[in-house]
Amino acid sequence: MRRPLTLLLPLLLGAALAAPAPTPVQPGQTWTLSATTFDGEVLSTALHLNAAPPTPAAPGTYRADRGSLLLDTQADTLIALDLKDAREGGLGLACALRLSTLGQSGATGVLASGPLTELPAALERALAVLAVTRTPQEQAEAARELRLGECTLTLTPAP
């Protein structure tokens, strides 16, 4: 006997909702942030993610030794924050990129950098660039106009 689709639909939807899509970010990983600021300064840092998974209160927040990775699959964004030096009066880094481009050759994000007091506003501009641009060329042009840099984020292979 065949069941009507209306009876199977809740079962299918429940199975789909019960198994979230895998993410490229996992606890314990190391990610390398390579960046060029608007002024042309070339920077590179490594973010070593804690072994603990994100908490239910902050499901997309992966804590790291120097900051955190913020994953938002619905918005298709990944933000790498390196705040260690900024907490000591130095430069903070926030690399925002489209999650769907992660791992692609030449995939770049938008870099917000500056002192801790200026970083939230700069990150807001970086996310706005991602929201309104469609091509890497548009993204680079918009980032330059807003005095933002470029960045890449790559997973460091496990030893």
Side-chain angles (χ1 to χ4, degrees):
M1 178 175 141
R2 292 180 35 159
R3 292 183 178 174
L5 184 57
T6 55
L7 293 176
L8 291 176
L9 194 56
L11 294 173
L12 294 173
L13 286 175
L17 294 174
T23 70
V25 181
Q26 299 296 322
Q29 293 175 328
T30 298
W31 290 82
T32 301
L33 168 61
S34 303
T36 304
T37 65
F38 173 76
D39 297 330
E41 185 177 358
V42 177
L43 306 165
S44 182
T45 188
L47 295 168
H48 305 282
L49 303 184
N50 295 346
T55 65
T61 302
Y62 293 81
R63 303 282 179 212
D65 58 339
R66 298 184 58 88
S68 54
L69 286 182
L70 308 174
L71 175 69
D72 186 340
T73 54
Q74 288 184 330
D76 189 34
T77 59
L78 180 62
I79 301 169
L81 296 172
D82 182 341
L83 304 175
K84 186 171 184 344
D85 295 338
R87 290 184 184 120
E88 300 165 0
L91 191 67
L93 305 175
C95 176
L97 51 84
R98 287 186 182 94
L99 186 58
S100 58
T101 65
L102 192 62
Q104 294 179 10
S105 178
T108 58
V110 181
L111 179 73
S113 60
L116 201 51
T117 56
E118 297 173 15
L119 201 54
L123 179 55
E124 192 173 312
R125 291 193 314 270
L127 290 170
V129 167
L130 290 182
V132 300
T133 58
R134 297 291 166 240
T135 67
Q137 182 180 358
E138 287 177 353
Q139 180 179 300
E141 289 171 6
R144 275 191 301 277
E145 284 178 28
L146 295 174
R147 302 183 58 83
L148 298 166
E150 292 185 341
C151 57
T152 59
L153 191 61
T154 53
L155 178 61
T156 304

